[in-house]
Amino acid sequence: MTDAKTFTLEDKLSRTGVRMTAPRRVLSRVLGSATDHPDVEELHRRAQQLDPGISLATVYRTVRLFEQLGIVERHAFSAGRARYEQPGDEHHDHFVNVRTGEVIEFHAPEIEELQAVIARRHGYKIHDHRLVIYVEPMDEE
Ligand SMILES: [Zn+2]
């Protein structure tokens, strides 16, 4: 999610202290303005609109770097390429439409609470979690 963020991804990148290069700036803008969960090829397409010479390999490398720096999150949803997003301030989980690959964000307080209850039952508190539910449209049996 990209709402309610205090700093742009470009700000966050420069705060990590890494050298600002043209591809890093381009990718930070592309990822910072994404409201979906693009894969590397889609990021490459968008980056090319800002910098036609940018290569797919550069996009791969740059996104990996961003991931290592903790400024973008990588989702390895099954059946598809890794997707990327900028972590928002609000926790959310994901539905993945198995037919289209579309990623839908949701937040369900009742699921959050139930997870805490179950963790407690096992003698733990939740440190972090990721929940992905694979869904398909209801139009067919
Ligand atoms: Zn998301």
Side-chain angles (χ1 to χ4, degrees):
M1 275 186 195
T2 51
D3 53 351
K5 57 181 194 292
T6 317
F7 297 103
T8 65
L9 193 60
E10 209 176 333
D11 292 335
K12 289 180 189 166
L13 178 61
S14 61
R15 280 161 173 257
T16 65
V18 297
R19 192 165 53 91
M20 188 59 87
T21 63
R24 290 173 188 172
R25 190 182 304 280
V26 165
L27 262 306
S28 68
R29 286 184 185 164
V30 167
L31 270 158
S33 62
T35 56
D36 51 353
H37 303 74
D39 62 19
V40 169
E41 294 199 353
E42 179 57 30
L43 289 171
H44 183 224
R45 259 190 296 279
R46 294 179 195 178
Q48 279 183 317
Q49 287 166 7
L50 303 176
D51 175 4
I54 196 164
S55 71
L56 184 60
T58 299
V59 174
Y60 264 106
R61 231 182 0 258
T62 306
V63 169
R64 275 289 181 190
L65 172 71
F66 287 5
E67 188 193 344
Q68 285 158 10
L69 293 170
I71 61 171
V72 302
E73 230 176 298
R74 176 178 190 270
H75 296 288
F77 298 133
S78 64
R81 288 183 287 264
R83 308 292 205 92
Y84 294 89
E85 74 174 321
Q86 183 181 183
D89 300 328
E90 302 284 317
H91 168 74
H92 64 266
D93 293 306
H94 296 100
F95 285 128
V96 177
N97 182 327
V98 295
R99 299 232 193 110
T100 63
E102 187 193 0
V103 178
I104 303 107
E105 297 186 344
F106 72 92
H107 178 84
E110 55 276 52
I111 289 179
E112 301 297 321
E113 175 56 27
L114 185 57
Q115 289 175 134
V117 167
I118 295 168
R120 213 175 298 130
R121 203 180 287 159
H122 288 263
Y124 291 100
K125 60 181 181 174
I126 294 190
H127 170 73
D128 189 18
H129 82 269
R130 280 182 171 195
L131 177 63
V132 183
I133 301 176
Y134 296 90
V135 297
E136 57 189 336
M138 293 183 71
D139 54 7
E140 287 170 33
E141 290 301 285

